[in-house]
Amino acid sequence: MAPPTPRTRAGARRGAPGPRRWAAAAFAAPLIAYLAAFYAYPLYRNIDLSLHDYTPRAFIQGDPEFVGTAVLREVLTSDAFLPAVANTAVFTLVSIAVQYGLGLALAVFFRGSFPLSPVLRALFLTPWLLPMIVSASTWAWMLNSENGIVNAVLGAVGLGPVDWLTSPGWALVSVIVANIWLGIPFNLVILYSGLQNIPGELYEAAQLDGAGAWQRFVHITLPQLRPVSAVTLLLGLVYTLKVVDVIWIMTRGGPGDSSTTLAIWSYRAAFGTGRPDLSEAAAVGDLLILMALAAGLVYVYLRRREARP
């Protein structure tokens, strides 16, 4: 009998999975199960909720009426839609821009060596370590119109009190300030780690060539931080889009709808009233998912374009 040819042996290897393939499958199985249970299934359920009329009775009995995109159309044509989109855009863009700017400034500051640097970095991480409900409640107390410390300071310098949380013109500003304070430590940590990976020889060579501090920052720091900055901004965008707890604790989306974002709209429809509308909440959630997905696709496109020779 003729010995098997190389092609036959290759076919046999492809036909029967070897130990390495079984080992790879065993390592991948927990991850696949995790993604299916905590990502794929919740996403499917959210879409299913938005395509059916899930009243509380129908949700309990499991017999909702299929309505297709009717709920989504109601959301898109609602009078609250455009204000919520505008509030979401302002809240998200202002938050991530200021968080990134201040986080980068602090990261550059802490890159230099000085005696209290580790202690100060640890103090700046405090907002990140506190439970969100504690941070939001603290900001709500500080911005209270009657006995808040901010108005007390304003009164001490001769300025009148401001209705930070109950005025339509200040409510959104107040929650943005609180969210910026909460997000700075994340940007600081990620960007500081990125700065540690920039070779010091680049700064030394630029300094020998006569480049000033600003020139070194623009031509070395920012270009070298571009991959880290892209990830930081993407994660900040996705996180800020879904912020609920800070706004809900401080203003509950009010007064009126002046600080209502899409995330607050979804939460209020599901849990904020005595008559939950799960289909409406899921439809608004679908919009948030699409926004986050669009941001992710833009990030992937930009990264691939940079990788092209």
Side-chain angles (χ1 to χ4, degrees), residues 42-43 46-47 241 282-295:
L43 179 61
N46 195 83
I47 296 175
L241 279 175
V284 178
D286 289 341
L287 297 177
L288 290 171
I289 293 172
L290 290 176
M291 291 179 181
L293 179 61

Side-chain angles (χ1 to χ4, degrees), residues 15-173:
R20 290 186 178 181
R21 291 189 178 182
W22 283 114
F27 278 108
L31 175 61
I32 295 174
Y34 174 82
L35 293 176
F38 295 101
Y39 287 88
Y41 180 72
L43 179 61
Y44 159 76
R45 285 294 295 156
N46 195 83
I47 296 175
D48 178 70
L49 284 170
S50 65
L51 296 178
H52 293 79
D53 184 15
Y54 270 97
T55 62
R57 183 197 62 80
F59 184 81
I60 295 174
Q61 296 183 357
D63 57 346
E65 177 187 359
F66 179 80
V67 294
T69 60
V71 178
L72 182 59
R73 290 197 302 269
E74 290 179 4
V75 169
L76 296 176
T77 57
S78 171
D79 294 336
F81 176 70
L82 291 180
V85 171
N87 290 339
T88 302
V90 172
F91 178 79
T92 302
L93 296 179
V94 174
S95 291
I96 62 175
V98 179
Q99 287 171 355
Y100 176 81
L102 293 179
L104 179 58
L106 290 171
V108 172
F109 173 74
F110 284 119
R111 191 176 190 271
S113 299
F114 54 93
L116 295 178
S117 177
V119 177
L120 291 177
R121 286 205 310 270
L123 291 177
F124 271 103
L125 292 178
T126 302
W128 201 18
L129 301 177
L130 291 175
M132 194 68 67
I133 188 172
V134 174
S135 300
S137 299
T138 302
W139 274 99
W141 167 74
M142 290 194 301
L143 296 176
N144 186 275
S145 301
E146 297 180 359
N147 53 14
I149 189 173
V150 175
N151 277 347
V153 172
L154 292 178
V157 296
L159 299 177
V162 177
D163 297 327
W164 298 102
L165 304 179
T166 57
S167 170
W170 286 104
L172 185 61
V173 175

Side-chain angles (χ1 to χ4, degrees), residues 107 187-198 225 228:
N187 287 262
L188 168 61
V189 170
I190 301 300
L191 295 173
Y192 180 79
S193 300
L195 287 176
Q196 302 308 303
N197 294 325
I198 301 177
L225 275 181
V228 177

